[in-house]
Amino acid sequence: MAQDKLKLIPLGGLGEFGMNCMVLRWQDDIIVIDAGLMFPEEELLGVDIVVPDISYLTENRDKVRGILLTHGHEDHIGGLPWILSELNVPVYGTEFTLAYVEGKLEEHELLDDADLIEMVPGERIILGPFSVVPIRVTHSLVDCVALAIHTPVGVVLHTGDFKVDLSPPDNKPFDLHAFAELGKQGVLALLQDSTNVDRRGYTPSEKAVRPRLDEIFAQTKQKLFFSCFSSSIHRIRLAMELAHEHGRKVAVIGRSLDNSTEIAQDLGYLDPPPGLVINPGQIKDTPAHKLLVMISGTQGEPMSALSRAAVNNHKHAHIEAGDTVLLSSRVIPGNEKSIYRMIDHLERRDAEVIYDDGASGLIHVSGHGSQEELRLMINLVRPKFFIPVHGDYRHLKRHIELAVGMGVVEKTILLEDGDILEMGRDSAVKTGKVPVERVCIDSGGASTDVVEDLVIKDRRHLSEDGIILPIIAIDKRTGRVENAPEIVVRGMAIAEDGLISEAKQVVQKTLDVSSAEEKADYGVIKEKIRSDLKRYIQKNTSRRPLIMPVILEI
């Protein structure tokens, strides 16, 4: 009978923010919703990104029919290069989402082999036993969809990231009617975005930031530097409209912003009047009060254009006393230090910095629905089973409480990464787990490598306790030690004359009690030195540095 059950298996995004990836399986057919990445916590030293563990998919590679993308944010598409290099399957997304994906795959030299298929809201896609209808939703990015997946046991509705905006700047509103129709037909399971479950009320429309931004444009006497997320096309469009109204030329600086504005113009989401946008090289020839510089780096990323401009290290963007810098974005948790450090540099330049300006009007609105929008969606579709997605454990738990309090859902299920949920027409039961390790990627240098847990453990060890290198010169033929041992210490604050001289004696003693045969066998003598020195250091300092004996062959 288990063959007649629909399996839902989250590989990422349930229990953390980012790395969204959900698997649906019916017998021998699998579809995947989203393929995101996550930026690492501080303890993952030297790791650039974290992507989902797709070993379940690679083990069932012949069954995977495709990857369906809800929208183009990094936490939904960022893992694609890694996944497609292991598993080349068709990728479905809206026009704008695929434009982002193309750039990403081109960067990783995967575009030529990729099979990218455009999906249009309202138009059905058949993938084996799954019939998928994308439904237009609004978010902080354009061209976003929820997915209504018709399966042999009922409809599974995955909201993707959404808020209910009925008057968005691109005049493509949230499709309430389609969700209401689904509700009438009956929905087996609703998988709903939990990001803003802590926020009461409704999330304001994207248009709500216009009055405060208009005021800032009117009050700014010199250059205005405007920074927002490069994917916030609505915000970029609004800034360009205000620049035109206030008689300012627009220069775009920063690779991510450049790419986004180019894609948005190609696809008709941005249509600046002729002559409004100038080259960065023309900044110096434009009067300060006639200039808007759109610049990337809202999160204080070390090599971003705004971070470099803040320390006067950018070719075109020079921030001077009296200029205004507007950060039209939220502070992503974990980025506080780098953002406030950058703001300090800007303040040193006597620039006026406007950020998180809630007191005197909105300069940023969220792209995620607050509590009332989450309730509205549950009421519209009235699902039999409710499963919160996209959030830390506390968000998922709070979301369950919200759904239970409404009294319209038959059963709520809290899933975490790796859980297997088996659903029939009237049942939903957790039946086990698939392995989901976090896959850490180090993309520094020419190659992109997976960083093993052992490497991260070594990096942490080095950062906390330092390293000791005992250096000994030994004649391989005779086993004779040619001179007194040297000791190099890095990352440990210890007195040169005390501990180090005693450590040298410990090494010398080990050498003295070792036979010529042992000394000629480098593997044996290295291990003996390491073991004796480790015991001595631990006893005298309570620290456990990495000890790596170096034998110089004479």
Side-chain angles (χ1 to χ4, degrees):
M1 287 302 289
Q3 281 289 69
D4 296 332
K5 301 286 186 199
L6 175 72
K7 288 183 181 174
L8 241 74
I9 307 165
L11 299 183
L14 276 73
E16 69 264 311
F17 278 111
M19 211 164 69
N20 298 299
C21 189
M22 175 69 73
V23 170
L24 272 74
R25 177 171 182 170
W26 176 263
Q27 296 175 0
D28 283 342
D29 292 279
I30 290 173
I31 58 171
V32 183
I33 299 172
D34 288 330
L37 60 72
M38 186 171 82
F39 293 104
E41 305 97 1
E42 275 185 8
E43 63 264 23
L44 294 178
L45 301 165
V47 170
D48 295 310
I49 57 170
V50 186
V51 296
D53 178 353
I54 58 161
S55 48
Y56 178 78
L57 296 178
T58 51
E59 283 161 19
N60 294 282
R61 63 174 65 245
D62 55 322
K63 300 177 179 68
V64 183
R65 303 291 163 252
I67 299 171
L68 299 139
L69 305 173
T70 56
H71 67 287
H73 274 144
E74 285 289 301
D75 57 335
H76 294 260
I77 67 167
L80 266 180
W82 158 253
I83 292 173
L84 291 183
S85 66
E86 299 282 315
L87 195 78
N88 197 1
V89 295
V91 176
Y92 296 81
T94 58
E95 183 183 38
F96 192 89
T97 303
L98 290 185
Y100 266 8
V101 167
E102 281 178 17
K104 189 165 279 303
L105 296 183
E106 195 166 9
E107 215 173 288
H108 289 82
E109 297 178 359
L110 293 167
L111 185 56
D112 292 346
D113 297 327
D115 184 9
L116 305 181
I117 301 162
E118 188 184 329
M119 59 185 183
V120 178
E123 291 188 9
R124 192 175 295 270
I125 299 158
I126 308 291
L127 290 164
F130 302 103
S131 164
V132 184
V133 180
I135 303 173
R136 185 172 303 288
V137 296
T138 43
H139 183 43
S140 53
L141 187 59
V142 296
D143 220 5
C144 306
V145 290
L147 299 171
I149 302 150
H150 298 257
T151 77
V153 290
V155 175
V156 174
L157 176 60
H158 191 299
T159 66
D161 286 355
F162 80 99
K163 69 176 180 182
V164 181
D165 192 343
L166 299 177
S167 59
D170 62 357
N171 297 317
K172 293 179 178 176
F174 185 92
D175 193 347
L176 277 175
H177 179 71
F179 289 105
E181 279 300 310
L182 270 179
K184 280 183 201 165
Q185 294 162 23
V187 170
L188 179 69
L190 172 65
L191 281 61
Q192 181 166 265
D193 172 22
S194 310
T195 307
N196 274 356
V197 71
D198 286 338
R199 294 195 189 181
R200 294 174 183 279
Y202 292 89
T203 301
S205 165
E206 186 61 37
K207 287 185 175 172
V209 298
R210 189 181 182 109
R212 176 62 181 138
L213 295 191
D214 193 21
E215 195 182 303
I216 293 166
F217 271 78
Q219 290 169 352
T220 300
K221 299 284 183 279
Q222 288 181 215
K223 292 198 289 293
L224 176 56
F225 288 84
F226 184 99
S227 191
C228 65
F229 295 119
S230 60
S231 58
S232 299
I233 306 301
H234 294 318
R235 198 74 47 82
I236 294 168
R237 177 176 165 163
L238 176 57
M240 286 187 172
E241 284 173 9
L242 289 171
H244 185 54
E245 285 170 26
H246 290 271
R248 289 178 180 265
K249 298 287 188 188
V250 178
V252 179
I253 288 179
R255 193 172 73 134
S256 57
L257 257 182
D258 238 357
N259 289 346
S260 281
T261 49
E262 197 177 315
I263 290 168
Q265 276 182 263
D266 288 347
L267 301 181
Y269 288 93
L270 286 179
D271 188 17
L276 180 71
V277 179
I278 59 172
N279 279 328
Q282 294 172 266
I283 289 176
K284 60 182 184 302
D285 305 322
T286 309
H289 66 287
K290 296 265 186 202
L291 190 61
L292 170 71
V293 179
M294 303 200 66
I295 187 164
S296 59
T298 173
Q299 297 301 298
E301 302 93 328
M303 290 312 289
S304 67
L306 186 54
S307 285
R308 296 194 340 254
V311 292
N312 203 22
N313 184 25
H314 195 283
K315 187 178 176 185
H316 300 297
H318 298 290
I319 298 171
E320 290 152 342
D323 288 347
T324 298
V325 180
L326 170 60
L327 303 178
S328 180
S329 61
R330 74 183 179 100
V331 174
I332 294 178
N335 293 349
E336 295 90 348
K337 273 186 182 171
S338 52
I339 292 172
Y340 294 129
R341 192 184 304 125
M342 178 180 75
I343 289 170
D344 276 353
H345 286 305
L346 292 166
E347 295 280 4
R348 280 198 180 94
R349 314 202 74 72
D350 279 334
E352 185 188 350
V353 188
I354 302 170
Y355 61 99
D356 197 14
D357 196 30
S360 56
L362 289 170
I363 59 167
H364 175 67
V365 291
S366 174
H368 300 269
S370 301
Q371 286 176 3
E372 292 310 315
E373 285 144 286
L374 302 179
R375 287 195 178 99
L376 172 65
M377 178 69 92
I378 293 169
N379 258 326
L380 273 178
V381 304
R382 302 179 96 77
K384 183 172 280 196
F385 306 126
F386 176 78
I387 302 153
V389 294
H390 305 177
D392 291 333
Y393 189 86
R394 67 180 188 278
H395 294 88
L396 306 180
K397 193 160 181 283
R398 202 78 30 91
H399 207 165
I400 292 265
E401 289 161 11
L402 178 136
V404 168
M406 292 176 63
V408 300
V409 176
E410 197 174 291
K411 183 179 183 180
T412 58
I413 302 126
L414 202 161
L415 290 184
E416 290 187 83
D417 294 348
D419 285 344
I420 300 171
L421 179 71
E422 292 196 355
M423 284 196 294
R425 290 185 185 280
D426 300 299
S427 64
V429 183
K430 280 196 243 183
T431 58
K433 276 186 103 68
V434 302
V436 281
E437 303 290 326
R438 58 185 175 188
V439 179
C440 300
I441 305 285
D442 212 338
S443 57
S447 62
T448 300
D449 301 312
V450 176
V451 184
E452 301 297 337
D453 279 351
L454 183 65
V455 175
I456 293 166
K457 196 173 162 191
D458 281 349
R459 288 175 180 176
R460 194 173 304 132
H461 192 159
L462 284 167
S463 72
E464 289 168 2
D465 290 317
I467 183 169
I468 293 181
L469 303 171
I471 302 168
I472 304 106
I474 296 179
D475 186 316
K476 191 166 177 73
R477 283 174 298 112
T478 62
R480 196 162 66 89
V481 178
E482 293 297 323
N483 51 17
E486 287 295 320
I487 289 190
V488 175
V489 178
R490 290 289 180 268
M492 277 185 80
I494 54 174
E496 176 75 33
D497 49 352
L499 195 91
I500 290 183
S501 57
E502 286 177 25
K504 286 179 182 175
Q505 288 170 24
V506 170
V507 175
Q508 187 62 59
K509 191 174 174 188
T510 306
L511 293 167
D512 291 344
V513 298
S514 300
S515 68
E517 198 176 354
E518 283 176 318
K519 284 185 279 196
D521 185 326
Y522 292 170
V524 171
I525 197 65
K526 272 186 184 180
E527 191 47 44
K528 284 186 76 172
I529 290 168
R530 199 187 66 76
S531 175
D532 291 350
L533 200 51
K534 178 183 170 186
R535 201 176 305 118
Y536 169 76
I537 297 286
Q538 225 169 317
K539 186 180 170 189
N540 286 277
T541 67
S542 301
R543 307 237 332 239
R544 301 180 61 179
L546 196 63
I547 298 171
M548 290 181 64
V550 177
I551 307 294
L552 301 178
E553 187 180 329
I554 304 294

